[in-house]
Amino acid sequence: MGPITYSLCQKPVIGPAMWMLFLCVFPPLFSGEMIDLNIGDATMKTSFHVPVEKIYPLDITFEFPSVEARLSDQIVGDRYNEDCNGDIRYEEIPEIRRTGLGRPIPFRIVVRKKADESIVLDRTIVSLCITSHGGKDKVRTIGYLPLAIGDYVAEVMNLEKQAGLAGVKTTIGLYGGHGK
């Protein structure tokens, strides 16, 4: 999808029609990139192209060995609430509202321009709360990355070893969005 198509998809009348005809499909900028959270300082690195200037969600998918394992998990969490928005620190969330949010997982995200390796973004983000689930998977949004059109290289680093995730496959993806 290019900038013109993306712009048309946002219009009040033509946009919904284009969505219904699947003309507004925005493929992931990258997905399925493995990262092992059982290892501290594990790093995922990949290059990608940004076709439209916007803010992109960076997600991590946790694939459990079975549906039962996903349902019994307490590390990734089992719910989402208003405390998951923004940069609120886990310690600032009242104890009564922490139940089900899962363990805070810190990541460092570095995005560089591919051409000259200049840093566009360098942030530490603490992931908290699931944003979706289904089957054997749970998904968390790590953070939102504002990016201009261009070619980039992303590095996502796990800053703390996460005990209790043995047998859980974790992958990173950068997506066009989460729905219209």
Side-chain angles (χ1 to χ4, degrees), residues 135-173:
K136 298 189 299 184
D137 296 346
K138 288 185 181 181
V139 178
R140 278 187 176 189
T141 298
I142 295 172
Y144 294 89
L145 312 182
L147 296 169
I149 295 171
D151 294 312
Y152 298 93
V153 175
E155 287 181 80
V156 179
M157 290 145 272
N158 173 35
L159 296 179
E160 290 179 11
K161 178 180 177 179
Q162 299 298 316
L165 291 175
V168 178
K169 177 181 165 187
T170 48
T171 57
I172 304 278

